[in-house]
Amino acid sequence: MHSDSKFIQYLEGDSKEILDLYDLIKKDDRHTNVVMLSYGPLPERLFPSWHMGYKELKPDELAFNTDISEEDLGISNDLISGK
């Protein structure tokens, strides 16, 4: 998900693979002010119906250009609102 000045990426998977990827993202010159908002084990995937896709955030709307379940939509809205 992104806006004109922000980019949010949610990653799920093996913890070592995620941390290795995060280290690569931090070192990539295309990224600045990289911040991990949350990290920890989960009993199951939070976004099981999501696949890699393009998500456009606008000030007053959230446009999903990939298929998403209603449950995953609620979770994503909570993430965007900081819950």
Side-chain angles (χ1 to χ4, degrees):
M1 293 179 265
H2 72 89
S3 66
D4 290 337
S5 61
K6 303 284 186 216
F7 180 87
I8 298 172
Q9 185 168 13
Y10 180 85
L11 304 170
E12 292 181 320
D14 175 76
S15 61
K16 181 177 178 350
E17 291 176 8
I18 296 296
L19 291 174
D20 289 347
L21 179 58
Y22 181 66
D23 285 340
L24 289 173
I25 291 169
K26 289 188 303 184
K27 293 175 186 173
D28 189 318
D29 291 339
R30 295 172 293 176
H31 305 293
T32 58
N33 302 319
V34 176
V35 175
M36 184 181 295
L37 298 177
S38 178
Y39 176 81
L42 300 170
E44 60 187 42
R45 289 187 62 168
L46 289 179
F47 297 96
S49 70
W50 275 26
H51 304 282
M52 184 59 102
Y54 173 81
K55 313 282 187 271
E56 183 176 346
L57 293 177
K58 296 182 181 178
D60 296 327
E61 78 181 60
L62 182 59
F64 286 91
N65 298 317
T66 60
D67 293 334
I68 185 172
S69 70
E70 288 297 319
E71 181 181 2
D72 288 348
L73 180 60
I75 292 168
S76 67
N77 286 334
D78 285 349
L79 284 170
I80 291 165
S81 66
K83 295 182 182 175

